[in-house]
């Protein structure tokens, strides 16, 4: 399963003393599983914005270490700066980046606040998606009065901290933590005046031109400005939730208004870092609009960069701008099994160890089944001989290719889940958390093969279309693919059953085993349907290959 990635962006009240700044940043760098992406100190604000990422567990630990070092080194009684603030670590949001829900980030905020309150004895308030009261949702409302007003404010019944003491700590102040969506700073280039760019901004931004005159794009802030460095105007946007208003929609809507105003849109720029799925969404938008078939991730990223004109002002270097690429690490470390040669993987399975075992092998077999289906589709695509099948192939190759790509990480995920079960059972007998740890590990060890079954099962509609319309010369390849998918599902099903067998009866266990049984029955029926369908087609006489 793909790694969960959370961004944490602590803002702390020191932007001038680099000895202090470096020590705080180092505390995060020393935290296992945390990768620091950016450190932006400001002398006039006397404030530093630190950005790091990691797993949910790692970023909670990193945030705690950051807060601890802030408490040790920052003295708010001596702090001055242009930016509003109320504490040494002023604000600490957790942001979902990939394979993480907002609820998980809310849990990160609670876990961090609980640990910091208990061990550091500091007061913490929850905001945004983690807010416990409606009037605490906005950061500006919690921070109203700032540090100077906190002594009186914190004693008011409405402002009892969510965690920690109801006490004014002169040297520290208080911290605001919570969860919010990823904010993208996005600028669209305009060959026109600042005023023309601002006119478009007013049409687009959520607040529009004021009361009763809203703009078209929700979760969007925008102004027009002039950039002397580029010798052109820009529509400068903050996209507060790119799932609602992504860059490609903002860009296309800007082009509509620019045409009416009589100015040209000539590319755009993303300021800072961007999640991969944001650019993939743009690529899918343009690919669908233009009828393109793109399978490889790097091709999709390239399409998004080209269509949005992200290289118009300066080169867009994907490996330095896309968060997942920055923290991907060495595949030999992050995906040790999937990175092996076929020969070495087989030897690893044959070794005198229980993992990798049947679960990892089932994920591999399933991915090969999907790959064979995609292969048959690609051998039936782009040739004059199969021109009448072009639409069918364009629709059915992508789900097979995507399933293949999703199944590959499950090879390592299954082994990792098994290792977690072993680790849970090795906890000391008197550990009060041992039972809960074993239950959690067993559930995760069940979820991985169940995910293998779910992903493999998405292939059946496309596999059947390949059987009906694909290159008949690849008949045996598709048959093997169908049986491989069925076997992958069967193997994963056996793992679900063996992992749930020792668990006590529960609603979760009943639901999981019922779902797995249904997916297994589906695989048996659909595999037969694919094989029967392709065998019902006559084999044509051999002909020279068409170009």
């Amino acid at each position: 399963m793909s790694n969960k990635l959370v961004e944490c962006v602590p803002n702390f009240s020191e932007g001038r003393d680099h000895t202090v700044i470096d020590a705080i940043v180092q505390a995060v760098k020393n935290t296992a599983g945390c990768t620091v992406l950016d450190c932006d100190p400001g002398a006039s604000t006397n404030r530093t914005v630190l950005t790091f990422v990691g797993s949910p567990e790692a970023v909670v630990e990193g945030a705690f270490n950051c807060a601890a070092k802030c408490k040790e080194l920052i003295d708010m009684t001596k702090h001055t700066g242009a930016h509003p603030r109320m504490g040494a670590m002023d604000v600490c949001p957790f942001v979902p980046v990939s394979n993480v829900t907002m609820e998980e980030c809310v849990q990160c905020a609670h876990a961090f606040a609980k640990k910091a309150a208990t061990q550091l004895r500091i007061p913490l308030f929850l905001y945004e998606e983690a807010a416990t009261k409606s009037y605490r949702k906005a950061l500006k409302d919690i921070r109203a009065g700032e540090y100077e007003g906190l002594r009186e404010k914190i004693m008011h019944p409405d402002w009892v901290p969510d965690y920690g003491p109801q006490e004014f700590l002169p040297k520290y102040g208080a911290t605001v933590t919570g969860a919010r969506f990823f904010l993208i700073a996005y600028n669209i280039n305009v060959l026109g005046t600042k005023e023309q760019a601002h006119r478009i901004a007013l049409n687009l931004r959520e607040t529009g031109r004021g009361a009763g005159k809203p703009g078209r794009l929700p979760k969007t802030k925008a102004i027009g400005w002039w950039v002397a460095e580029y010798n052109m105007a820009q529509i400068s946007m903050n996209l507060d939730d790119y799932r609602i208003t992504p860059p490609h929609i903002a860009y296309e809507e800007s082009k509509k208004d620019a045409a009416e105003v009589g100015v040209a849109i000539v590319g755009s720029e993303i300021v800072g870092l961007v999640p991969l799925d944001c650019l993939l969404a743009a690529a899918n938008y343009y690919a669908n609009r233009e009828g393109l078939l793109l399978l490889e991730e790097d091709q999709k990223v390239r399409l998004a960069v080209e269509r949005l004109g992200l290289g118009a002002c300066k080169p867009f270097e994907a490996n330095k701008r896309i968060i997942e690429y920055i923290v991907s690490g060495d595949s030999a470390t992050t995906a040790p099994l999937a990175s092996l040669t076929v020969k070495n993987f087989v030897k690893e399975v044959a070794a005198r160890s229980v993992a990798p075992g049947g679960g990892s092998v089932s994920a591999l077999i399933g991915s090969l089944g999907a790959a064979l289906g995609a292969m048959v589709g690609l051998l039936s695509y782009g040739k004059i001989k199969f021109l009448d099948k072009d639409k069918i192939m364009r629709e059915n190759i992508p789900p097979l290719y995507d399933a293949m790509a999703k199944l590959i990480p499950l090879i390592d995920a299954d082994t990792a889940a098994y290792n977690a079960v072993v680790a849970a059972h090795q906890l000391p007998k008197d550990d009060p958390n041992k039972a809960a740890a074993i239950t959690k590990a067993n559930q995760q060890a069940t979820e991985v093969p169940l995910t293998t079954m779910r992903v493999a099962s998405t292939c059946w509609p496309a596999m059947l279309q390949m059987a009906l319309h694909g290159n008949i010369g690849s008949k045996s390849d598709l048959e093997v693919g169908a049986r491989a998918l069925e076997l992958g599902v069967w193997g994963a099903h056996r793992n679900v059953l063996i992992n749930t067998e020792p668990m006590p009866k529960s609603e979760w266990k009943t639901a999981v085993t019922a779902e797995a049984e249904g997916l297994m029955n589906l695989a048996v029926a659909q595999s037969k349907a694919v094989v029967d369908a392709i065998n019902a087609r006559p084999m044509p006489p051999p002909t020279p290959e068409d170009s």
Side-chain angles (χ1 to χ4, degrees):
M1 300 172 77
S2 299
N3 293 332
K4 295 182 176 183
L5 198 63
V6 176
E7 180 186 66
C8 185
V9 194
N11 293 218
F12 56 87
S13 299
E14 178 55 68
R16 299 167 185 165
D17 188 336
H18 285 271
T19 301
V20 172
I21 295 169
D22 291 346
I24 294 171
V25 173
Q26 193 61 46
V28 176
K29 287 183 176 180
N30 291 342
T31 305
C34 289
T35 301
V36 172
L37 301 180
D38 188 51
C39 177
D40 185 15
S44 62
T45 59
N46 199 11
R47 179 185 187 85
T48 295
V49 179
L50 176 63
T51 305
F52 65 95
V53 293
S55 67
E57 297 79 12
V59 293
V60 168
E61 194 65 25
F64 172 80
N65 292 338
C66 181
K69 192 59 70 172
C70 286
K71 185 181 182 187
E72 175 189 341
L73 299 179
I74 296 175
D75 186 349
M76 289 301 294
T77 65
K78 301 175 182 179
H79 183 271
T80 59
H83 199 286
R85 79 283 183 264
M86 65 186 290
M89 177 194 268
D90 187 49
V91 60
C92 183
F94 295 87
V95 183
V97 175
S98 59
N99 306 306
V100 176
T101 65
M102 177 55 70
E103 179 55 36
E104 287 176 289
C105 286
V106 170
Q107 292 171 7
C108 286
H110 279 278
F112 161 63
K114 182 178 180 180
K115 183 168 185 175
T118 302
Q119 298 187 31
L120 302 179
R121 294 290 298 162
I122 58 174
L124 299 102
F125 297 88
L126 298 172
Y127 84 124
E128 286 287 352
E129 298 301 315
T132 56
K133 300 177 177 63
S134 60
Y135 64 86
R136 296 189 182 188
K137 191 172 181 67
L139 176 61
K140 64 181 179 63
D141 293 329
I142 298 176
R143 205 162 51 190
E146 299 188 40
Y147 169 79
E148 288 74 14
L150 185 59
R151 181 188 298 272
E152 180 180 345
K153 183 175 184 176
I154 200 169
M155 301 311 297
H156 193 282
D158 288 344
W159 291 104
V160 176
D162 291 289
Y163 287 91
Q166 186 180 10
E167 177 185 353
F168 177 64
L169 305 179
K171 186 180 176 184
Y172 186 88
T175 292
V176 183
T177 187
R180 61 167 173 79
F181 289 105
F182 195 98
L183 183 150
I184 294 178
Y186 182 56
N187 300 330
I188 298 172
N189 304 325
V190 181
L191 293 183
T193 67
K194 167 187 171 181
E195 290 76 17
Q196 288 169 321
H198 191 62
R199 176 179 165 188
I200 298 172
L202 293 175
N203 292 341
L204 299 180
R205 69 186 188 186
E206 185 171 28
T207 57
R209 288 177 163 77
K213 298 179 181 179
R216 300 200 303 274
L217 301 182
K219 299 292 184 180
T220 301
K221 301 179 180 72
I223 61 171
W225 62 21
W226 179 260
V227 184
E229 178 186 356
Y230 302 152
N231 191 31
M232 60 184 166
Q234 284 186 329
I235 305 162
S236 179
M237 296 179 164
N238 275 351
L239 305 179
D240 292 338
D241 187 344
Y242 69 85
R243 304 170 311 160
I244 295 176
T245 299
H248 60 271
I249 294 300
Y251 189 71
E252 293 301 320
E253 290 299 310
S254 296
K255 287 167 65 176
K256 292 178 185 177
D257 285 31
E260 294 179 5
V261 174
V263 296
I265 298 296
V266 286
S268 60
E269 64 175 347
I270 292 174
V271 181
L273 306 177
V274 61
L276 175 61
D277 69 336
C278 178
L279 291 184
L280 294 182
N284 290 335
Y285 170 84
Y286 289 111
N288 290 335
R289 191 173 77 172
E290 300 170 29
L292 307 177
L293 175 61
L294 297 178
L295 301 176
E296 298 290 346
E297 186 175 282
D298 64 331
Q299 292 184 349
K300 292 181 179 181
V301 169
R302 183 170 183 175
L303 179 68
V305 170
E306 288 293 326
R307 293 295 183 267
L308 295 173
L310 294 178
C313 298
K314 59 189 71 171
F316 182 90
E317 299 179 77
N319 62 324
K320 297 180 181 178
R321 303 294 301 281
I322 297 174
I323 294 175
E324 289 87 342
Y325 291 178
I326 296 172
V327 301
S328 60
D330 181 7
S331 60
T333 301
T334 58
L337 296 176
S339 299
L340 293 174
T341 64
V342 172
K343 179 179 178 180
N344 286 339
F345 179 79
V346 173
K347 285 185 174 181
E348 189 70 23
V349 172
R352 192 178 181 183
S353 61
V354 293
S360 293
V361 170
S362 296
L364 173 59
I365 292 172
S367 70
L368 290 171
L372 282 168
M375 182 195 83
V376 172
L378 288 168
L379 290 173
S380 312
Y381 168 74
K383 295 182 179 180
I384 294 175
K385 180 179 180 180
F386 301 109
L387 197 57
D388 61 323
K389 305 297 183 182
D390 187 82
K391 184 175 184 295
I392 295 173
M393 294 303 127
R394 286 174 180 269
E395 290 175 351
N396 290 284
I397 294 171
L400 293 170
Y401 196 91
D402 290 346
M404 175 199 72
K406 290 176 181 176
L407 285 165
I408 292 172
L410 295 172
I411 298 169
D412 282 283
D414 192 88
T415 295
Y418 175 80
N419 291 337
V421 171
V422 173
H425 280 280
Q426 289 176 342
L427 290 172
K429 291 182 179 180
D430 58 352
D431 188 328
N433 299 316
K434 182 172 183 175
I438 291 174
T439 298
K440 181 179 179 181
N442 281 334
Q443 288 182 341
Q444 181 61 30
T446 302
E447 284 291 340
V448 176
L450 184 60
T451 300
T452 297
M453 297 183 74
R454 289 166 177 161
V455 175
S457 297
T458 65
C459 295
W460 296 121
M463 290 292 283
L464 185 58
Q465 289 301 306
M466 294 303 166
L468 295 171
H469 304 285
N471 186 342
I472 192 65
S474 299
K475 171 184 173 181
S476 62
D477 299 306
L478 193 67
E479 289 177 308
V480 173
R483 292 304 188 198
L485 275 170
E486 180 186 357
L487 179 58
V489 172
W490 183 87
H493 184 220
R494 301 308 299 174
N495 274 262
V496 169
L497 294 181
I498 200 168
N499 288 333
T500 55
E501 185 177 357
M503 294 184 187
K505 187 175 182 180
S506 66
E507 290 185 9
W508 179 87
K509 179 178 178 179
T510 300
V512 163
T513 53
E515 180 184 0
E517 186 70 23
L519 294 173
M520 185 66 252
N521 292 337
L522 177 69
V524 171
Q526 290 299 305
S527 177
K528 182 177 185 302
V530 170
V531 172
D532 288 349
I534 199 164
N535 277 286
R537 292 172 58 189
M539 290 288 291
T543 58
E545 184 69 22
D546 290 320
S547 61

